Amino acid sequence: MPRKVNYGLDYDDDYDDNYDEYDYRYEVDENANIFDLKSSRVSSTVVGRDEAVKVSSMRSDSSNLSTEKGKHNRLDEINILKNIEVGPPAGSRTSDNCSASVPEGWLDHVDESSVAVNLQSSVKRSLSLMPKERNVMVDDSSSSRNGGEANSLTSNLENISFAAKSGHSNDANPGRANSRAQYKPEKWMLPEKAEHSLTQLNLAIVGHVDSGKSTLSGRLLHLLGRISQKEMHKYEKEAKLQGKGSFAYAWALDESAEERERGITMTVAVAYFDSKRYHVVVLDSPGHKDFVPNMITGATQADASILVIDASIGSFEAGMDGTKGQTREHAQLIRSFGVDQLIVAVNKMDAVDYSKERFDLIISQLGTFLRSCGFKDSSVSWIPLSAVENQNLVSAPSNFRLSWYHGPNLLDAIDSFQPPTREFSKPLIMPICDVIKSPSQGQVSACGKLEAGAVRSGSKVLVMPSATIATVRSLERDSQACPIGRAGDNIAVSLNGIDGNHVMAGGVLCHPDFPIAFAKHLELKVLVLDGATPILIGSQLEFHIHHAKEAARVARISSLLDSKTGKVAKKAPRCILAKQSAVVEVILQEAICVEEFSKCKVLGRVFLRTLGRTVAVGIVTRIVEEQ
Ligand code: GTP
Ligand code: MG
């Protein structure tokens, strides 16, 4: 039975995200120089295949808590902002006809994927993962989170003298000199050609609020046998009792009482099914604008995405609305995360009598917009369907009114995605999403997604930032013990020979000969999002990178970049306005695990937030000073 996974970021009940005028006007160009942000994803957690689990990130999952937190954050941020010189309003964007297509220079170090956005996250995981007497260290940095203080990573470091126990200080470690390019993987690290396991595909389900994302996901899971008939009956009965009969399928994913009562998804749900080609990890995102940060945390993991559209009259238009619609915003965000393969599921076709004209109108209007975001026509599939009436999901439509459609059904379209590329032959990198401790058994497990390389029992790993060497005792994937974990796998790595306090969410497991950097002074290339307040020298921002979050101050704005060429357009400007890109230096309150993006994408993708919204996305171009 699917349980819900929740990537709760810092939900702010005051958060009224105005991504609305987010019309980036990306250049319509097949080789779109898009500012392409492939997420180093928040690990979708390690869960049983037959379970969906909710992952909460910045807090344990309580909306009340988060509401409190939201208020708290807001106050802190307002206080901070009071002391900041106010720059020209976003509206005064002078001559910048700034296309938000990314300047060419951006792509100097960026290949097809690009900058990503990552959020600190801790995980609620499947019980089967937990040792019986586990003590889930959700790294209760709630206080720091709530108060906007230093993040959990650093607070956890308080009692650790850096590298004291390990004898592996950064200074002493010669590994920093090693180039990841020199690395030669051992034979066992590479997947055998003959291996018959399905490729994992992280699939983000995004789209405007109420477009039917959860209903579609629930229906798919049911059709594919992931939700039993008995469970479905239960959902139907309970939903009916609460007067929410139409949400029965959505209930499979919207698990919390508040979500069910409000009839909206608030946090990302993770569920699994197998198609012919893929082990699909479904990331059912919230569509409501208040939960955009949660949507981001899930979507940053995506290899591909389904953008769900409500075809009903007025609803498609609402999603496309420049000020309130999340269809446009979600499409832009996922493209920014580097997702370039998209299915547009035109849902609720039953509500428009399966009209071909309506479908064509949606293709024509949304298609133009998607092209402007940098999606290639050839990478976008358009599928008319009805989740409620089960039309065109896993088999050809049975309703004669859809007889005009001759394309693939949704499941076939999913199987048509190109497989994601994985960094099997690079040195180990696993950003730690969550830590499970069992003090009574003296066990500690680091959980997360292996972004590069491989591990197996007996492997030595370097745990950063404590710079401590540990030995892998055992591994679990999908709640099962497994002999080897490779890039792309979500795993729990049980460690021997390390004090539990030296393993923390926001840290990274890496290859002992290729330690990653630990730094607080960084140079970034950033793109300020449309509608965001200007970034000034001295601006205080939340800095997010893989699963870490840290308070940051903009120490320097080195240059503004020309949006077309990527070359320096102006040196030392006073501020960066919406849609402008720039090179800046930030100083973090405490050091974080980081790499230059050109060396390791997943540890070099950042985004900057303030006042409950994302104001800029970027990449680390230089580590100015290591700790
Ligand atoms: P958020 O997660 O809150 O953004 O909503 P959602 O996109 O997950 O939508 P959800 O699945 O909760 O469905 C919202 C409403 O749309 C429910 O009442 C569903 O029954 C209805 N709905 C979903 N799919 C269809 C469909 O194919 N046809 C019709 N007529 N209604 C649908
Ligand atoms: Mg939903």
Side-chain angles (χ1 to χ4, degrees):
M1 178 194 91
R3 265 185 66 215
K4 181 137 171 167
V5 178
N6 157 20
Y7 298 86
L9 182 59
D10 43 350
Y11 162 54
D12 179 343
D13 69 339
D14 293 333
Y15 176 47
D16 187 8
D17 197 349
N18 242 354
Y19 280 101
D20 31 78
E21 308 145 346
Y22 205 109
D23 184 359
Y24 270 6
R25 297 186 215 298
Y26 289 100
E27 314 239 297
V28 181
D29 174 0
E30 287 290 279
N31 302 313
N33 250 346
I34 198 143
F35 181 69
D36 187 15
L37 309 176
K38 176 107 186 171
S39 142
S40 68
R41 320 126 216 270
V42 174
S43 161
S44 63
T45 192
V46 189
V47 290
R49 281 189 175 214
D50 51 354
E51 288 178 301
V53 181
K54 272 215 155 189
V55 179
S56 84
S57 59
M58 310 293 260
R59 60 192 163 86
S60 33
D61 182 27
S62 147
S63 349
N64 295 336
L65 252 184
S66 52
T67 303
E68 282 305 305
K69 170 191 176 295
K71 284 180 180 153
H72 209 134
N73 257 356
R74 191 106 174 165
L75 276 177
D76 287 345
E77 284 160 344
I78 288 166
N79 286 337
I80 289 166
L81 284 185
K82 273 184 190 158
N83 301 322
I84 298 176
E85 178 196 357
V86 178
S92 70
R93 288 168 222 145
T94 53
S95 57
D96 82 297
N97 54 351
C98 300
S99 138
S101 57
V102 172
E104 269 158 34
W106 270 95
L107 301 177
D108 288 348
H109 312 287
V110 183
D111 68 11
E112 88 294 341
S113 45
S114 57
V115 191
V117 175
N118 264 320
L119 300 179
Q120 174 180 358
S121 115
S122 47
V123 183
K124 274 189 188 168
R125 64 194 55 260
S126 133
L127 286 179
S128 56
L129 250 190
M130 314 273 197
K132 280 209 172 95
E133 294 171 61
R134 80 191 189 282
N135 170 14
V136 183
M137 303 302 285
V138 182
D139 150 55
D140 189 13
S141 47
S142 50
S143 56
S144 61
R145 289 167 190 164
N146 291 350
E149 295 160 16
N151 82 346
S152 56
L153 176 61
T154 50
S155 54
N156 274 350
L157 275 173
E158 266 170 20
N159 300 323
I160 301 174
S161 86
F162 188 68
K165 296 211 173 167
S166 67
H168 283 264
S169 76
N170 266 355
D171 294 334
N173 199 327
R176 287 292 302 146
N178 288 343
S179 154
R180 289 173 62 78
Q182 294 162 3
Y183 177 71
K184 295 258 179 309
E186 293 170 42
K187 199 164 166 249
W188 63 267
M189 296 177 167
L190 305 173
E192 303 255 328
K193 290 231 167 61
E195 256 177 40
H196 229 60
S197 58
L198 294 171
T199 305
Q200 181 168 310
L201 183 84
N202 295 319
L203 184 62
I205 319 290
V206 301
H208 191 62
V209 66
D210 271 353
S211 53
K213 298 176 291 297
S214 304
T215 304
L216 180 61
S217 306
R219 188 90 202 212
L220 259 184
L221 292 168
H222 183 228
L223 289 168
L224 296 171
R226 309 306 298 184
I227 300 173
S228 70
Q229 202 60 37
K230 195 170 153 208
E231 283 161 342
M232 208 48 242
H233 276 316
K234 188 168 151 266
Y235 292 135
E236 276 166 8
K237 211 168 121 193
E238 287 171 1
K240 231 182 220 160
L241 268 176
Q242 282 198 27
K244 298 265 182 198
S246 70
F247 285 88
Y249 286 103
W251 275 31
L253 295 119
D254 294 339
E255 280 206 320
S256 76
E258 189 173 355
E259 285 178 318
R260 290 180 172 187
E261 200 182 307
R262 293 176 66 181
I264 58 168
T265 304
M266 293 162 73
T267 50
V268 176
V270 178
Y272 301 88
F273 67 80
D274 288 347
S275 66
K276 275 185 218 132
R277 288 180 74 196
Y278 294 115
H279 175 51
V280 180
V281 180
V282 177
L283 303 157
D284 175 35
S285 312
H288 194 284
K289 64 185 165 61
D290 284 356
F291 304 105
V292 167
N294 295 359
M295 173 269 171
I296 290 174
T297 44
T300 53
Q301 295 193 71
D303 299 310
S305 182
I306 298 181
L307 176 63
V308 182
I309 302 297
D310 180 344
S312 338
I313 309 295
S315 299
F316 163 65
E317 288 74 11
M320 291 294 284
D321 184 292
T323 53
K324 291 184 192 133
Q326 259 61 58
T327 301
R328 291 154 61 104
E329 181 187 357
H330 282 197
Q332 285 169 328
L333 281 170
I334 54 166
R335 184 65 193 97
S336 300
F337 302 148
V339 173
D340 55 6
Q341 304 189 74
L342 186 70
I343 291 173
V344 182
V346 182
N347 189 30
K348 305 198 190 180
M349 284 297 288
D350 57 296
V352 291
D353 226 9
Y354 295 95
S355 157
K356 180 172 184 315
E357 288 67 40
R358 181 71 176 160
F359 182 66
D360 289 342
L361 178 126
I362 290 170
I363 293 185
S364 117
Q365 292 191 4
L366 181 57
T368 309
F369 179 73
L370 293 179
R371 247 170 269 133
S372 78
C373 293
F375 286 103
K376 291 182 187 172
D377 281 353
S378 56
S379 304
V380 180
S381 319
W382 300 82
I383 318 278
L385 50 85
S386 166
V388 158
E389 294 196 348
N390 182 20
Q391 292 299 315
N392 216 11
L393 299 194
V394 299
S395 55
S398 56
N399 193 312
F400 72 93
R401 285 172 298 174
L402 247 186
S403 56
W404 52 263
Y405 177 75
H406 302 291
N409 62 51
L410 182 63
L411 192 60
D412 289 342
I414 292 170
D415 267 331
S416 306
F417 281 133
Q418 291 303 311
T421 47
R422 307 280 187 220
E423 302 202 313
F424 295 118
S425 49
K426 295 264 177 70
L428 172 73
I429 292 276
M430 189 185 101
I432 302 171
C433 177
D434 192 26
V435 177
I436 301 172
K437 290 179 187 171
S438 170
S440 60
Q441 294 169 20
Q443 281 179 19
V444 57
S445 293
C447 306
K449 177 167 174 245
L450 265 176
E451 294 289 351
V455 279
R456 63 178 175 183
S457 1
S459 298
K460 297 268 186 239
V461 295
L462 179 66
V463 183
M464 292 294 287
S466 60
T468 308
I469 300 275
T471 308
V472 175
R473 187 170 173 270
S474 59
L475 300 174
E476 263 192 37
R477 186 180 54 192
D478 289 358
S479 305
Q480 309 277 325
C482 68
I484 299 175
R486 295 197 178 93
D489 292 339
N490 290 317
I491 53 172
V493 184
S494 166
L495 299 168
N496 267 345
I498 187 166
D499 181 332
N501 291 328
H502 289 201
V503 190
M504 61 207 69
V508 175
L509 293 191
C510 55
H511 191 294
D513 296 338
F514 298 87
I516 49 123
F518 187 59
K520 63 196 299 194
H521 189 170
L522 307 169
E523 181 193 83
L524 314 174
K525 263 187 193 177
V526 295
L527 173 69
V528 178
L529 300 182
D530 197 4
T533 46
I535 294 180
L536 313 162
I537 296 167
S539 285
Q540 304 278 350
L541 299 164
E542 275 171 32
F543 179 95
H544 296 255
I545 187 163
H546 51 94
H547 302 305
K549 170 189 160 193
E550 188 52 71
R553 181 174 58 83
V554 176
R556 190 161 175 237
I557 305 178
S558 312
S559 55
L560 277 186
L561 301 174
D562 183 281
S563 60
K564 293 268 185 296
T565 63
K567 298 209 170 106
V568 173
K570 187 175 176 192
K571 284 202 169 152
R574 281 180 58 240
C575 64
I576 324 164
L577 306 181
K579 296 201 278 186
Q580 289 185 330
S581 49
V583 177
V584 300
E585 280 180 32
V586 291
I587 297 181
L588 311 183
Q589 195 163 311
E590 299 291 341
I592 41 98
C593 294
V594 62
E595 277 296 351
E596 287 163 10
F597 182 80
S598 57
K599 292 186 184 150
C600 177
K601 286 181 207 155
V602 77
L603 299 181
R605 297 162 172 152
V606 302
F607 74 96
L608 305 170
R609 307 193 80 233
T610 187
L611 293 173
R613 62 174 299 185
T614 307
V615 290
V617 289
I619 57 174
V620 178
T621 46
R622 190 162 60 93
I623 296 172
V624 180
E625 197 184 323
E626 275 189 48
Q627 296 300 294

